């Protein structure tokens, strides 16, 4: 299957997981966009916040597609976030999780047959903050540091619908 088809399948999987948790406090859909390093990419995706699974601890799943630097990366992550008490309207968080992805390498173009696709798994550390808005439509800024071959770092911005 092509990488776009896998992205659609991954988004549907996150959606089906989120449907069962829709009534949980703080749960909700969102979009995320940003840049990645190593490889250098533009990244876009969706996320679902399952809400609190313990006091100030949330589970967030995301699906992302990264393009650029002769790579296409389709990934999905499960992240646990500890959300600190609000400070001056900002709510900071820190956490980590696991990310798996398909990495499509295009070394010099497909015509010469010099490309391949790999499955990669990595551990991520994340930190960021939310800016609360009306009706729970928070905006967030996030830094992710990875330990594997997906992205060494990502800077993301996003919002909840």
């Amino acid at each position: 299957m092509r990488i776009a088809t896998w992205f659609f399948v991954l988004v549907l999987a996150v959606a089906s997981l989120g449907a069962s948790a829709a009534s949980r406090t703080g749960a909700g859909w969102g979009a995320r966009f940003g840049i990645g390093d190593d490889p250098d990419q533009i990244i876009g995706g969706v996320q679902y916040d399952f809400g609190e699974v313990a006091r100030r601890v949330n589970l967030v799943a995301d699906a992302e597609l990264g393009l650029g630097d002769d790579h296409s990366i389709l990934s999905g992550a499960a992240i646990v976030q500890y959300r600190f008490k609000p400070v001056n309207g900002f709510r900071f968080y820190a956490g980590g999780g696991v990310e798996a992805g398909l990495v499509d390498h295009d070394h010099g173009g497909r015509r010469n047959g010099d490309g391949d696709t790999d499955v990669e798994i990595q551990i991520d550390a994340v930190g960021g903050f939310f800016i609360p808005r009306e009706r729970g439509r928070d905006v967030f800024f996030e830094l992710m540091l990875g330990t594997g071959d997906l992205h060494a770092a990502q800077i993301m911005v996003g919002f909840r619908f």
Side-chain angles (χ1 to χ4, degrees):
M1 278 197 259
R2 298 190 56 147
I3 201 108
T5 305
W6 279 109
F7 182 69
F8 181 72
V9 169
L10 189 58
V11 167
L12 287 178
V14 171
S16 67
L17 290 172
S20 66
S23 64
R24 195 175 283 173
T25 302
W29 279 101
R32 49 193 296 120
F33 306 95
I35 57 173
D37 180 46
D38 193 17
D40 298 335
Q41 293 193 313
I42 301 294
I43 302 168
V46 297
Q47 71 178 31
Y48 189 80
D49 185 340
F50 288 89
E52 280 193 349
V53 294
R55 187 166 187 250
R56 291 198 293 229
V57 176
N58 285 49
L59 175 63
V60 179
D62 69 49
E64 297 176 345
L65 179 61
L67 300 171
D69 205 10
D70 293 326
H71 291 73
S72 297
I73 299 178
L74 170 67
S75 63
I79 304 292
V80 176
Q81 297 176 345
Y82 178 81
R83 297 185 178 176
F84 300 95
K85 291 181 181 179
V87 176
N88 296 326
F90 294 93
R91 185 153 197 174
F92 294 89
Y93 64 90
V98 64
E99 183 176 11
L102 291 172
V103 181
D104 186 24
H105 307 274
D106 187 13
H107 308 287
R110 292 281 182 203
R111 292 188 181 169
N112 63 13
D114 195 19
D116 59 1
T117 302
D118 298 317
V119 175
E120 302 289 344
I121 297 175
Q122 73 179 26
I123 303 297
D124 295 332
V126 298
F129 62 92
F130 292 96
I131 301 172
R133 296 190 58 208
E134 60 192 50
R135 300 184 203 150
R137 296 180 180 168
D138 301 335
V139 173
F140 71 87
F141 296 87
E142 179 178 277
L143 172 65
M144 183 279 298
L145 301 174
T147 62
D149 291 329
L150 294 173
H151 289 105
Q154 287 180 208
I155 298 173
M156 304 295 286
V157 62
F159 59 91
R160 196 164 39 176
F161 299 121

